[in-house]
Amino acid sequence: MIWLVASFGVFFAGAVLSMLLPRRTLRWFGPLASALGAGLGLVPVVMALGPGGDLSWDRGWSMPLGAFRFGMDPLSAWFAGAILLLTTLAALYASGYLRDAEERKDTGVFWFHYLLLTASMLAVVTARNGILFLLAWESMALTSFFLVIFDHEDGAVRRAGWIYLIATHIGTAFVLFLFALLGRHSGSLDFAGFFAIARHREVASVVFVLAVLGFGTKAGFMPLHVWLPEAHPAAPSPVSAVLSGVMIKTGVYGLLRVLTFLGTPPAWWGWMLVAVGAASGVLGVLFALAQHDLKRLLAFSSVENVGVITLGLGVGLLGVTHRDPIMALLGFSGAALHVLNHAIFKGLLFLGAGAVVHACHVRDLEELGGLQKRMPVTGTTFLIGSAAISGLPPFNGFVSEFLIYVGAFAGIIGSTGTATLSGAVVTVAALALIGGLALACFTKAFGVMFLGEPRSAHAAHAHEVGGAMRLPMVTLAALCLLLGLGGPFLLPLLASVTAPVTGLPASIAATVVRETPALQILWKVTAATGGLVVLALLLGAWRAHLLGGRTIGATGTWDCGYVAPTARMQYTASSFADPIIRMFGAFLGTRSRLSRPDGLFPEGGHFASDTPDVSSERLYAPLFARLEEVMARIRLLQHGLLHLYILMIVLSLLGLLFWKLG
Amino acid sequence: MNALRFLPLVSGLVLAPFLLGVVNRVKAKFGGRTGQPLLQAYFDLFKLLRKGAVYSRTTTWVFRAGPVVGLAAVLGALALLPAGRHAPAAVSFTGDLFLLAYFLGLVRFVTVLAALDTGSAFEGMGASREVQFSALAEPALLVALAALARLTGGLGLTQITSALGPASWEVAGPALALVALALCIVFLAENSRIPVDDPNTHLELTMIHEVMILDHSGPDLAFILYGAALKFWILGALIVNVAVSWIGGGAAITIPAFFAGMLLVSVGVGVVESVMARYRLLKVPRMLWVGVALSVLAFTLIGRFTA
C-alpha cells in the first residue's frame, strides 16, 4: 500500500509544481506526472486483483469517529484501474489539445486541478472511512468544477458550471445523510463497522434509497442527470472524457460499496434498479439521438450507458434476493465490465469529438461531414468506438451486454417468483430497445460527421490532429477490440471484483465460474467473434482477387441523373433522426420552427429543431423558481451590515452556551 | 446425428437464393405472368461476381468494407441456426441467440454506414428508416426468444429448438402461435418485404433496403444480394423452427417438414406481396409495436400459466 501513498504524493507534488512551472514545460510535465502517479497507483491495483487479496493502510488522525484508512480490495482495484488508465491517456491527449490555448490561458491551473481530480477519484474508491470518503468526494466535485469552467470567459460555460456545482452538492447532501445514518448505527464512521446496519431492515432500506439518490446524481440516473448534458459539453474534451468515462462511475462505485454493507436485499431493491436503469437507458439514448451538438449527444449517451450498468446491477440484486448465483454473478459482472468498457469507448469518443472540434472549431453535426478523408485516424478510431458503444461484436461493449443478457435469461428460466421474472424480462426488452436505438444514434453521429461530403467550409478545411492526440485514441480503440476478444480472461477477475455484492465467497464464485457454462460460453463467443473477423478478412481477400485485373470505375454518387449535386442535398443529422424522434415525441418535447418557402419562386424556407432536456425545463426550473421565492425572505438576514452580523454571532454563541448549560 | 451437423448451414448456403425465386414465381402467377426462372437469383449472383466495380468518389473504405463485413456477419448468424428438432446447428452454445441478434445488428450497422458514405439523399433516407424499424424489431425478437427460453429452459437456439415438440404445443399452444406471429412481423421488417418495404420499387422515395444499396456494383452487390437471401433464410427458419414443431416423429419427418415450412414461408411472402400494398411509412411502426406486444403477451402467457 506504500505504492498507493506514493501515488498520492506524486499527484499532489505534481499539482503544486504545475502551478510554478512555465507553460512550455507543462506540455511534457503534466502527462509525465499523471503517468508516474498512475504507474505507482497501478501496483496495488494489480496486487489486489491478483493473488495479493485485500490491502489496507491506516494512520491515526485527530478527527473523531474512526481512523484515517485506505484499502484496496478487488472492487476498489477494478474502479481504480479504470480511473488510472483513462486519466493517463487523457493527460497525454490534453498536452496536445492545450497547445493552442497556451498563449491565452494558464495551463498550470488546468494541470493543478487535473492531477488533484485524479488523486481524489483514486481516494474515493480506496477510502475506508466515511469522513475521508466525503472529503475525497468533495474534492473531486470541486476540482472537476474548476476543470469544467476552464473556458470561463464564455457565459454558457459558467452557467453549465453552476448547474454542475449545485447538482453535485444536492447529491452530496444525500450521501452525507447516508453516512450519518450508517455511522449512527455502528458508532463509528469506519467502513468496517457499517455491516451492523444489515440487522435493521427498515434503516437499510432508507440507506439504499439515499444511496440511489445521492450516488445516482453523480452517476446520472434519470431524472437526476441534468448536470451531465450541461457540464460535459462545456468542459475541454479531455476533461469531458474523464468526467464521462470515469468520474460518473464513482457514483456506481458508491452504490456498490454501500450495497456491501446492507445484507440480503429485498426484491424491490432490484426492481427499483431495473426500473431506474430502463428509464435512464431508453430516455438517455432517445435524447442523445435528438441532439445536434456532438458533445451533448455523447453526454446523453453516458446517461444511457449508466442505465445499462444499472440494469446489470438490478439483475444482480434480483439474483442475490432469489439465491440464484448465476444471475447474481453475471448481472454484477456485466455491470462491472460495462463500467470499464464504457470508460474505454466513451473516453475514446469524447477524445475523437475533441479532435473534431480542434480541427473544425464547430460542434454542430449539421456543419460537419466528409471528415473520414481528412482525418483518417480520428475517423477510424471513432468508428470503432461507435461500434463498441452500440454493443456490436467483436468489440468490448458486446461482451458486457452479453453477460447482462445471459444473467437476465438465467433469471427468466430459473425463477419462480413473479418479481424476478418480470424484472428480468423488462431488462431484456429494455436492453434490446436500447441496443437498436444506440445503433441509430451512433450511425447518425459517425455517418454525418465523417462520411459523405463536408457540409461547411470548417469541415472542408479540416486537418488530422497531432501525434499526442492520436496515440491515446489509437490505444483506446485497440483496447476496445482486445477486451472484446478477451472476455474469458476477465470473468474470473470479475467474480472476485463482485464477490462482496454477490455474497458469494471467492471459492464458490470460482466454482460457479468453473462449473457453470459461463466461462465456456465466453470462450465460444470469443471464438465466434474471432471467426467473424477472419471470415471478413477472407471475403475481402476474395473480392480483391475477383476484382484484380478488372476495370474499377470512379464516378460521382448516383443521383438520378441530376448534374449539379451539392453537399446540401445530403441527408442531415436531424432528418436522419427525425422518424424516431417523432415516434417518441411524447417523451422528448422536441421543438421545431418551420418557415415554409412561399410564392411562385419559392425562397427563404427555414427549418430548425432542438430538444432541450425535459426534466430540467419542466421539473427543475419550476422547482428552483419556487424555491427562490421562498428563500428570498431569508435574504432579510443578508443585509450587509457588519455590526449586525457580529451581533448574530454573539447571540448564537450565547444560545449554544445556554443550551449546553441547561 | 453428426452427419446432420452441417445440414442446416449447407442447405441455407445453397438454397437461400432459391427461395427468392419461389417468391417471384408466386407473384408472377398471381399477376398472370410466366415470371423469371426459379434460379434467376443464382444467375444474377454469378453474373455480378464476374463484373468489375464502380465506386463513387465520395466514398471511403467504409463503403468498401460494408458488403464484406455484412456478408461475414450473416454467414456467422447462419452457422448458429438449427433446422428443426433433429438437425442441430453447426455452431451452438448457451447464449448463442444473443450472438445471432447482434450479428444481424452488425449487418445493419455496416449497411447503414455504407449508405451514408455515399452522401446521397436517397440512401440517407433509406438508412434512417432502416434504423428506425429495426430498433423496434429488436425487442420483439428478443422477448419472443425469452418466451421460448422460459418454456423450454434452453438458452441457445439449438437447445430451444430441440426441446420444442408436440408436447410443448399441448402445454402452451396459444403462446407459441403468438411467438410465431411476432417472429413473422420481425421477419417482414428485417427483410424489408411488403407491407414494410417494397423490394421491387427502385428509385422511389418509399423504399428502405433497396435504396441503401444503390451505389454498390459488381461483386459488392453480389455479396449484398447473397447476404439478403441468407437473412431471408435465417429469419424464416426462426419462424419455421417454432411453427412446425407440432409435428412429431423422428428426423425423417421433422427435417423434410422444416424444408417444406421454408417453402411455405416463401409462398406466403409471395401471396402477401401480391394481395396487399405497402403501408404508409407512418403506419409501419404501429405494426412493429404490435409485434412487441405479441411477444410480451406470449411471454406473459408462458410465465404465468406454464410451470
Side-chain angles (χ1 to χ4, degrees), chain A residues 347-373:
Chain A
L348 167 61
L349 292 171
F350 262 119
L351 297 186
V356 169
V357 174
H358 201 260
C360 307
H361 307 289
V362 283
R363 292 202 314 234
D364 189 349
L365 290 175
E366 312 293 19
E367 292 191 44
L368 298 168
L371 293 178
Q372 175 67 39
K373 283 187 177 150

Side-chain angles (χ1 to χ4, degrees), chain B residues 224-238:
Chain B
I224 288 176
L225 289 183
Y226 188 50
L230 291 178
K231 204 171 161 191
F232 187 96
W233 178 276
I234 291 168
L235 289 156
L238 283 183

Side-chain angles (χ1 to χ4, degrees), chain A residues 373 412 543 550 553 555 557, chain B residues 51 56-57 64 118 220:
Chain A
K373 283 187 177 150
I412 283 174
R543 182 183 59 184
R550 293 186 196 159
T555 170
T557 295
Chain B
K51 292 202 171 221
S56 158
R57 274 184 288 269
R64 299 191 186 208
T118 61
D220 288 314

Side-chain angles (χ1 to χ4, degrees), chain A residues 372-373 391 398 401-402 405 412 415 453 521 524 536 543 550 552-555 557 560 569-571 576 579, chain B residues 49 51 53-58 61 64 68 93-95 99 102 118-119 121-122 125 128 132 142 150 220:
Chain A
Q372 175 67 39
K373 283 187 177 150
F398 175 70
E401 289 190 19
F402 181 84
Y405 265 126
I412 283 174
S415 82
E453 295 288 349
I521 297 173
K524 287 183 173 162
R543 182 183 59 184
R550 293 186 196 159
I552 311 285
T555 170
T557 295
C560 308
M569 289 167 61
Q570 291 175 97
Y571 232 45
F576 186 82
Chain B
L49 283 176
K51 292 202 171 221
V54 181
Y55 293 106
S56 158
R57 274 184 288 269
T58 307
W61 67 267
R64 299 191 186 208
V68 170
F93 53 90
T94 310
L99 205 57
Y102 277 80
T118 61
F122 290 122
M125 206 174 283
S128 157
Q132 181 198 9
L142 278 162
R150 170 78 183 170
D220 288 314

Side-chain angles (χ1 to χ4, degrees), chain B residues 213-244:
Chain B
I213 59 171
L214 272 178
D215 265 272
H216 288 281
S217 57
D220 288 314
L221 187 56
F223 283 10
I224 288 176
L225 289 183
Y226 188 50
L230 291 178
K231 204 171 161 191
F232 187 96
W233 178 276
I234 291 168
L235 289 156
L238 283 183
I239 306 174
V240 172
N241 277 333
V242 177
V244 305

Side-chain angles (χ1 to χ4, degrees), chain A residues 331-633:
Chain A
F332 280 121
S333 299
L337 184 55
H338 206 72
V339 165
L340 177 66
N341 286 344
H342 183 246
I344 291 171
F345 51 63
K346 187 50 68 62
L348 167 61
L349 292 171
F350 262 119
L351 297 186
V356 169
V357 174
H358 201 260
C360 307
H361 307 289
V362 283
R363 292 202 314 234
D364 189 349
L365 290 175
E366 312 293 19
E367 292 191 44
L368 298 168
L371 293 178
Q372 175 67 39
K373 283 187 177 150
R374 292 159 184 83
M375 311 172 71
V377 176
T378 307
T380 306
T381 51
F382 198 95
L383 174 62
I384 291 174
S386 303
I389 202 168
S390 309
L392 296 175
F395 300 108
N396 56 354
F398 175 70
V399 184
S400 42
E401 289 190 19
F402 181 84
L403 287 177
I404 301 175
Y405 265 126
V406 178
F409 265 62
I412 283 174
I413 292 172
S415 82
T416 45
T418 315
T420 316
L421 190 61
S422 43
V425 80
V426 167
T427 304
V428 168
L431 272 181
L433 188 60
I434 292 169
L437 292 173
L439 192 144
C441 181
F442 282 92
T443 47
K444 162 183 145 168
F446 178 78
V448 171
M449 269 202 295
F450 288 96
L451 303 177
E453 295 288 349
R455 291 175 175 78
S456 71
H458 298 298
H461 299 124
H463 54 89
E464 184 60 279
V465 292
M469 291 166 75
R470 284 202 305 263
L471 182 66
M473 294 194 281
V474 173
T475 312
L476 289 169
L479 280 174
C480 281
L481 183 63
L482 211 62
L483 291 186
L485 296 175
F489 301 102
L490 293 171
L491 192 65
L493 273 187
L494 287 165
S496 63
V497 167
T498 56
V501 266
T502 50
L504 304 172
S507 58
I508 297 185
T511 325
V512 170
V513 168
R514 214 173 27 246
E515 300 202 344
T516 59
L519 197 57
Q520 273 178 337
I521 297 173
L522 279 181
W523 274 115
K524 287 183 173 162
V525 168
T526 298
T529 47
L532 176 81
V533 177
V534 174
L535 194 60
L537 290 176
L538 284 178
L539 282 172
W542 186 43
R543 182 183 59 184
H545 173 73
L546 282 176
L547 287 176
R550 293 186 196 159
T551 349
I552 311 285
T555 170
T557 295
W558 170 243
D559 44 17
C560 308
Y562 185 66
V563 288
T566 78
R568 293 187 54 213
M569 289 167 61
Q570 291 175 97
Y571 232 45
T572 60
S574 323
S575 40
F576 186 82
D578 186 64
I580 302 183
I581 303 306
R582 268 168 205 268
M583 193 161 67
F584 291 96
F587 300 104
L588 294 173
T590 301
R591 284 191 292 246
S592 51
R593 291 175 300 283
L594 170 69
S595 57
R596 291 177 186 284
D598 201 17
L600 286 177
F601 299 95
E603 58 179 74
H606 181 76
F607 175 79
S609 71
D610 69 313
T611 308
D613 195 351
V614 172
S615 41
S616 108
E617 289 220 330
R618 306 236 174 105
L619 182 64
Y620 292 101
L623 182 74
F624 278 99
R626 185 87 193 89
L627 207 61
E628 198 183 351
E629 273 174 36
V630 176
M631 293 299 179
R633 291 183 201 144

